[in-house]
Amino acid sequence: MIEKTSPEVGGMGHSIKRKEDSRFIQGKGNYVDDVHLPGMVYGHMVRSPYAHARLKGINTEKAKQLPGVLAIITGEDLAKANLAWMPTLFFDKQMVLATGKVLFQAQEVAFVVAEDQYTAADAAELVEVEYEELPVLVDPHKATAPDAPILREDREEKSNHIFHWEVGDKSATEKAFQAAPVKASVHAISQRCHPAPLETCGCVADFNRATEKLTVYLTSQAPHAHRTLFALVGGIPEQNIRVVSPDIGGGFGNKVPIYPGYVCAVVASLTLGVPVKWIETRSENLQSTGFARDYHMTAEIAADQNGKVKALRVKTLADHGAFNAAAQPTKFPAGLFSVCTGSYDFPTSFCEVDGVYTNKAPGGIAYRCSFRITEAAYLIERAVDVLASQLKIDPAELRRRNFIQPDQFPYKTPLGWTYDSGNYEGAMNKALEMVGYQQLRKEQEEKRKKGEFMGIGISSFTEAVGAGPAHTFDIAGIKMFDSAEIRIHPTGKAICRMGTKSQGQGHETTYAQIVAQELGIPASDVIVEEGDTDTAPYGLGTYASRSTPTSGAATAMAARKIRDKAKKIAAHLLECSETDLEWETGKFFVKGAPSKFKTIQEIAFAAYTNIPAGLEAGLEAVDYYDPPNLTFPFGTYICVVDIDKGTGEVKVRRFVAVDDCGNVINPMIVQGQIHGGLTEGLAIAFMQLIDYDENGNVQGGSFMDYLIPTAVETPHWETGSTCTPSPHHPFGAKGVGESPNVGSPAAFVNAVVDALSHLGVKHIDMPITPWKVWAILKEKGVVN
Ligand code: CDP
């Protein structure tokens, strides 16, 4: 059977004809898609319409005859160069282009290169692929059943089971459960969703045959790590590779892995000797690049009659799709999921996770979260609400009885983490006060009497960000430190380069502020550059809210090295000893004689014009910062919802978010981070799901089905803060970018369940659509 390759799902497979498509208007910005190089050609993927099928043959003849087609690369071609498979970031391997069989719908089968993107797309439609359908596995619970089809024939183990991982004290937890008078449990699914950054993934690979240098303009959250992986896998000497990550239109973890399109563009450029651009479509992004979550979790809490927790037991099934392409530190098969004891003082706990393969797109990326912490925070915050409801204790009061107390920090959790600092009750009290909690509970009581549905949901989450201490954290073997290089020019202006890479978080502003704070050079005199591996110092990139705890810290440390040298120059200029000098932001002055001083700008000039004997010229420093621990930001979010009985629609009336990320560099940027993350949390709670039918056809593969919240759906966010500095970070900051995405889903769901709890509703899985709510109201006899 000869099949056309393009699956007619989610609008995918339509060739691009509209010349006016704004994606192709040149010179609009500084994104990868704005890169236009002389002689550049275009790549387009041929993708599988089937979720599981044997590849019987590929016929490229018709496609090759289309004028403008330059090359068609298949898996067999790549196999000759040993590139048909590539390693994932998590010890697995992944097909670049399919050989033998395909394992998920929209898997990459062939790469067409043509003179323009329209021809490439049209030619992809002409590639004929013969498939023989195989039984499809979409339900992770059936993955290890005796009759389940074995998906990964390439592996020695003939099983769909990937890993079993456990942590904690199993027998102490069992004993605590046997002794406890109260047990509460919840089964919650953190559903498969997608970061859906507005800019899809793409690259321009430019191999210059004369210089033998490969430049890759890449939508990369980790340009240095990607350069090293290109060198290790592709065999190109690393000094000949330059990765440039220009402006990034959102990453959220989606731009951490290496995707087949990147590899194919590089191979095509090496083959043809011209720059090759590959930009995926929206549907390709949703259907084939790193998905998030897909954790099927059960939490059980053992407690006494007063709601004091005694133990937590967690069992989770992780659906990784066709390849385990989780982008997370290698020692953590389930990421940092074991932060699942959250903000509570559990005497003992046990957590186990099993990973399985299914016929779905690969991934397991940290979508705006520190490697599975969103799943963990969601689970524990749901579970404590279930316990509170079971014991008929107010959920705020139950939390208060169990919070880790401020004097317990540094606090070692039963699952092995050491929280640096916290004041959970302080954050919750502030949020309760801001929202007017007691008043709202009274209002809820009144409304219930009238048959109206109003709910209040609390989430008091703890995050763990800043990977990481290099002794524990690495990605693909590369230790997780990060870096900063600061150069002060003779006129006192500065350029700073970091190993991280902003995707809209405002590093250009906040890093400059750190330099200003440490050296007294105005932030407007500081240029911040990231993302070019030829110039920036080596680093692991930006994801998992690690930038402030790592490169932010490195920036402060490099500035302090500069200050140490500046002191020597100031002593020389002021003709005194270094010990006679004192620092006040921006200048050294002589102790007891404040009028005798030298500004940092004067010192910078002297560093190039009047250098003390024995001292090197220049004023610059680099720092590779290895944090001693993660930082543990936290907060309390409170959501108030009203439910329309007639339609099941949930309206978020109020949402109060109190965050604590230690010392804040820039309150406006932090607020922006919170607003954005809450909006994503809202979407996950109410709108977003990447689902599959029994044949493995992806549902939610376009923005028609995978909904993005607009201003219409987004409520007004009320933000507040408390400040509990990190004791180990150079200026007491903790990361913050992910807190709202981590903390908010539980607040939304808790609010909806709270609104329906008097009907006996204990849990509703996300996304909580109007239809789901209406079906519950109907089942409970509230509506006909
Ligand atoms: O790694 P990523 O930049 O995504 O996360 P982050 O370290 O949480 O920082 C997000 C943005 O918030 C950056 O511009 C930080 O400099 C800023 N921030 C801040 O101003 N104060 C903090 N305590 C933490 C972050």
Side-chain angles (χ1 to χ4, degrees), residues 505-507 510 542-543 545-549 661 663-666 669-670 673 733-737:
Q505 294 94 326
H507 292 178
T510 49
T542 289
Y543 38 87
S545 284
R546 63 186 300 277
S547 301
T548 304
C661 60
N663 289 330
V664 168
I665 305 161
N666 186 315
I669 283 187
V670 167
Q673 293 285 302
K734 301 180 179 187
V736 74

Side-chain angles (χ1 to χ4, degrees), residues 49-67:
Y50 296 110
H52 196 196
R54 213 160 288 290
L55 267 184
K56 306 294 281 183
I58 302 182
N59 185 345
T60 58
E61 285 316 309
K62 265 194 216 155
K64 276 182 184 158
Q65 281 161 22
L66 201 69

Side-chain angles (χ1 to χ4, degrees), residues 196-530:
L198 285 185
E199 178 204 33
T200 60
C201 297
C203 69
V204 177
D206 180 17
F207 181 68
N208 184 322
R209 281 183 176 157
T211 61
E212 296 194 337
K213 251 199 119 166
L214 172 70
T215 304
V216 191
Y217 302 88
L218 196 65
T219 48
S220 169
Q221 293 180 236
H224 283 95
H226 285 165
R227 184 190 69 189
T228 302
L229 293 173
F230 276 128
L232 291 174
V233 177
I236 305 164
E238 197 167 356
Q239 77 278 14
N240 284 358
I241 307 174
R242 177 180 174 208
V243 173
V244 181
S245 187
D247 287 345
I248 302 233
F252 313 114
N254 190 227
K255 290 165 183 171
V256 176
I258 290 192
Y259 293 116
Y262 301 161
V263 178
C264 289
V266 168
V267 169
S269 183
L270 288 167
T271 311
L272 298 169
V274 291
V276 179
K277 179 185 273 192
W278 169 76
I279 306 282
E280 63 183 1
T281 65
R282 169 58 52 198
S283 291
E284 287 178 308
N285 179 255
L286 285 171
Q287 293 173 357
S288 69
T289 64
F291 76 89
R293 324 285 193 241
D294 223 342
Y295 260 35
H296 304 247
M297 313 175 286
T298 303
E300 297 167 274
I301 296 180
D304 67 18
Q305 297 288 5
N306 295 322
K308 184 84 185 123
V309 298
K310 300 295 177 192
L312 174 72
R313 192 161 52 194
V314 169
K315 196 168 170 47
T316 288
L317 184 63
D319 184 343
H320 281 263
F323 310 104
N324 184 6
Q328 60 199 16
T330 60
K331 285 195 180 63
F332 301 93
L336 310 193
F337 185 65
S338 55
V339 179
C340 58
T341 53
S343 309
Y344 309 103
D345 192 11
F346 281 97
T348 185
S349 295
F350 180 69
C351 169
E352 57 187 324
V353 181
D354 285 275
V356 293
Y357 293 117
T358 55
N359 288 119
K360 299 176 187 170
I365 55 146
Y367 168 18
R368 202 169 187 159
C369 97
S370 203
F371 319 116
R372 305 292 189 182
I373 287 187
T374 310
E375 291 90 323
Y378 175 62
L379 184 64
I380 186 64
E381 288 305 308
R382 276 278 44 243
V384 292
D385 250 40
V386 169
L387 176 65
S389 166
Q390 193 169 313
L391 288 172
K392 301 201 171 10
I393 299 174
D394 179 273
E397 175 55 26
L398 186 111
R399 284 174 169 81
R400 199 186 305 284
R401 289 181 197 175
N402 289 295
F403 278 145
I404 300 159
Q405 294 302 307
D407 61 4
Q408 289 178 274
F409 291 92
Y411 173 87
K412 194 151 173 34
T413 77
L415 298 183
W417 301 99
T418 302
Y419 294 175
D420 56 349
S421 63
N423 181 356
Y424 303 141
E425 198 172 346
M428 188 177 78
N429 285 343
K430 181 156 188 181
L432 293 172
E433 197 184 307
M434 279 174 70
V435 84
Y437 188 67
Q438 294 309 335
Q439 196 53 40
L440 286 168
R441 282 288 173 209
K442 280 191 200 124
E443 185 191 336
Q444 184 185 34
E445 224 177 283
E446 293 302 315
K447 289 212 156 127
R448 272 195 187 163
K449 283 182 203 152
K450 290 190 264 172
E452 291 174 31
F453 292 86
M454 165 192 169
I456 308 161
I458 303 177
S459 168
S460 290
F461 64 94
T462 290
E463 252 268 64
V465 299
H471 54 74
T472 315
F473 288 87
D474 69 271
I475 293 256
I478 309 166
K479 300 288 186 187
M480 292 188 77
F481 55 85
D482 228 295
S483 61
E485 180 201 80
I486 306 176
R487 293 183 184 180
I488 315 291
H489 306 314
T491 54
K493 318 289 180 188
I495 180 160
C496 308
R497 294 185 172 116
M498 284 79 185
T500 48
K501 173 63 202 156
S502 183
Q503 307 121 45
Q505 294 94 326
H507 292 178
E508 298 81 355
T509 304
T510 49
Y511 287 151
Q513 281 183 261
I514 298 170
V515 175
Q517 177 67 29
E518 295 288 337
L519 290 176
I521 295 172
S524 54
D525 288 352
V526 181
I527 290 282
V528 172
E529 259 186 30
E530 297 175 298

Side-chain angles (χ1 to χ4, degrees), residues 529-571:
E529 259 186 30
E530 297 175 298
D532 185 338
T533 58
D534 266 9
T535 53
Y538 202 98
L540 272 287
T542 289
Y543 38 87
S545 284
R546 63 186 300 277
S547 301
T548 304
T550 58
S551 273
T555 306
M557 299 310 275
R560 289 173 196 181
K561 288 180 190 172
I562 286 176
R563 212 158 70 194
D564 289 345
K565 184 171 180 185
K567 194 174 193 182
K568 293 185 197 308
I569 300 171

Side-chain angles (χ1 to χ4, degrees), residues 11-50:
M12 203 179 88
H14 298 293
S15 59
I16 302 151
K17 293 286 186 203
R18 292 181 301 124
K19 295 274 182 188
E20 74 278 13
D21 187 331
S22 64
R23 242 187 48 191
F24 303 125
I25 296 170
Q26 297 195 4
K28 284 187 69 182
N30 188 31
Y31 296 90
V32 166
D33 204 16
D34 296 305
V35 174
H36 293 275
L37 303 177
M40 191 171 79
V41 299
Y42 299 81
H44 194 94
M45 278 294 175
V46 174
R47 292 176 183 272
S48 168
Y50 296 110

